[in-house]
C-alpha cells in the first residue's frame, strides 16, 4: 500500500503559538490533501494542494492556515496562531487512481 | 452541498453476527463512494470503493457494499464479524469529474464482543 508518513505524531503547543505539521510521501506526488478530525467528530476536508498551488480549500481553512512544499518533497500545514479549537488529528492524504491514501496523522493539542 | 449521513453511531455485536452499517448521501450529480476503516490507534484505511459498474462491490476482509442509486445509499455489510473488526467505519463520497475532496460521514464505532 502506498505510504505517507507524517511528523510529528503528537504536538502539544500553547495557544497563540505557530505549529508546522509535515507530510512526507514515499515517492514524488503532485496532489495532496489535508483533513482534520476533532475528537468525536467527523473527518473534515481542509485543503487540496496541486503542483505547488492550492486547488481548493474549505471554509475552515482561514487565514491562520497555510500550506507549502518547502523543499520539493515534503508538504507542510502551518497554523500561525493556534486556538484551543484547533486541537484535532490532522491527516494528509495522497490520491492514486481516484483513491486517497491517508497518513497516520498528527495529534495536535493546544493548551 | 454534498453531505453524508451514517445512522448508526455505535454498534455492538457478538462475534459471528451479521453487520450492516447504513450510509446515505446527498448530492445532485454522480459520485464516487468509499468506506474507510480506522482501527484503534491506526490511520484511515480504504475498505472498498465504488466508481462505476456492478453496484455490489467487494472489499478487503470480507466486507461488501451495495450502491443503490434510487435510495442514495451505500450500505456496508459483512455476513460474520470477528473481534478484530472492532474499529470505526467511515462512509465518504466525492463528486465525480470535479474536486476529489472527500466528504465524510460522522462514523460508526463498531465493537465486536468475543
Amino acid at each position: 500500500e502506498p505510504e505517507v508518513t507524517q511528523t510529528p505524531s503528537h504536538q502539544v503547543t500553547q495557544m497563540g503559538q505557530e505549529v508546522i505539521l509535515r507530510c512526507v510521501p514515499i515517492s514524488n506526488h503532485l496532489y495532496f490533501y489535508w483533513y482534520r478530525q476533532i475528537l468525536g467528530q467527523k473527518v473534515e476536508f481542509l485543503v487540496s494542494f496541486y503542483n505547488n498551488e492550492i486547488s481548493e480549500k474549505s471554509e475552515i481553512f482561514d487565514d491562520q492556515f497555510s500550506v507549502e512544499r518547502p523543499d520539493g518533497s515534503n508538504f507542510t500545514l502551518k497554523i500561525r496562531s493556534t486556538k484551543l479549537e484547533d486541537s484535532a488529528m490532522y491527516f494528509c492524504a495522497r490520491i492514486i487512481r481516484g483513491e486517497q491514501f491517508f497518513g497516520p496523522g498528527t495529534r495536535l493539542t493546544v493548551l | 452541498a454534498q453531505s453524508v449521513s451514517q445512522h448508526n453511531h455505535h454498534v455492538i455485536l457478538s462475534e459471528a453476527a451479521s453487520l450492516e452499517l447504513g450510509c446515505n448521501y446527498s448530492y445532485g450529480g454522480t459520485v464516487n463512494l468509499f468506506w474507510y476503516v480506522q482501527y484503534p490507534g491506526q490511520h484511515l484505511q480504504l475498505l472498498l470503493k465504488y466508481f462505476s459498474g456492478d453496484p455490489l462491490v467487494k472489499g478487503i476482509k470480507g466486507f461488501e457494499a451495495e450502491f443503490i442509486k434510487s435510495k442514495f445509499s451505500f450500505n456496508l455489510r459483512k455476513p460474520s464479524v470477528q473481534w478484530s473488526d472492532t474499529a470505526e467505519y467511515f462512509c465518504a463520497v466525492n463528486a465525480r469529474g470535479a474536486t476529489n475532496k472527500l466528504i465524510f460521514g460522522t462514523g460508526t464505532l463498531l465493537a465486536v464482543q468475543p
Side-chain angles (χ1 to χ4, degrees):
Chain A
E1 184 174 302
E3 289 187 23
V4 178
T5 61
Q6 291 185 243
T7 60
S9 57
H10 192 181
Q11 173 104 37
V12 180
T13 189
Q14 296 290 324
M15 191 170 56
Q17 295 297 304
E18 175 182 282
V19 295
I20 298 176
L21 312 180
R22 290 183 174 80
C23 181
V24 184
I26 294 298
S27 59
N28 193 26
H29 275 260
L30 298 176
Y31 218 148
F32 265 78
Y33 300 79
W34 283 98
Y35 295 83
R36 79 171 184 190
Q37 185 182 24
I38 295 172
L39 185 64
Q41 299 186 25
K42 64 182 179 181
V43 179
E44 301 172 291
F45 168 77
L46 289 176
V47 65
S48 58
F49 192 73
Y50 175 70
N51 201 23
N52 298 324
E53 290 185 357
I54 290 175
S55 59
E56 185 176 2
K57 60 183 181 179
S58 72
E59 57 192 26
I60 303 169
F61 194 86
D62 60 22
D63 292 343
Q64 293 299 313
F65 291 89
S66 63
V67 287
E68 289 181 347
R69 198 177 185 195
D71 56 8
S73 58
N74 298 349
F75 290 82
T76 62
L77 175 69
K78 182 190 293 185
I79 309 175
R80 291 189 181 84
S81 179
T82 51
K83 304 186 286 287
L84 294 176
E85 53 265 37
D86 292 328
S87 294
M89 284 290 291
Y90 289 83
F91 298 100
C92 71
R94 66 178 194 174
I95 188 167
I96 300 174
R97 292 186 294 277
E99 295 183 28
Q100 292 193 26
F101 295 90
F102 286 80
T106 293
R107 179 172 297 283
L108 175 64
T109 303
V110 182
L111 303 176
Chain B
Q2 299 171 45
S3 66
V4 178
S5 299
Q6 291 182 243
H7 318 296
N8 315 102
H9 297 294
H10 197 179
V11 173
I12 302 173
L13 294 174
S14 299
E15 276 195 313
S18 65
L19 170 72
E20 180 160 3
L21 302 182
C23 173
N24 288 87
Y25 67 92
S26 172
Y27 182 65
T30 307
V31 296
N32 298 317
L33 297 149
F34 306 83
W35 275 96
Y36 282 86
V37 61
Q38 189 174 31
Y39 297 103
Q42 296 189 27
H43 60 280
L44 288 161
Q45 300 173 41
L46 183 67
L47 265 183
L48 47 77
K49 63 184 185 292
Y50 173 80
F51 287 170
S52 63
D54 189 344
L56 183 63
V57 292
K58 295 191 183 299
I60 61 172
K61 306 186 181 187
F63 286 91
E64 64 178 33
E66 185 175 12
F67 170 49
I68 302 179
K69 188 175 181 180
S70 61
K71 295 185 178 181
F72 297 89
S73 70
F74 190 56
N75 292 355
L76 181 71
R77 300 193 291 251
K78 185 171 183 178
S80 176
V81 295
Q82 301 172 309
W83 177 79
S84 57
D85 292 324
T86 295
E88 191 156 18
Y89 293 81
F90 294 92
C91 182
V93 304
N94 64 19
R96 195 178 305 168
T99 176
N100 284 308
K101 70 177 182 186
L102 288 171
I103 305 299
F104 283 86
T106 51
T108 297
L109 191 59
L110 172 65
V112 180
Q113 298 175 331

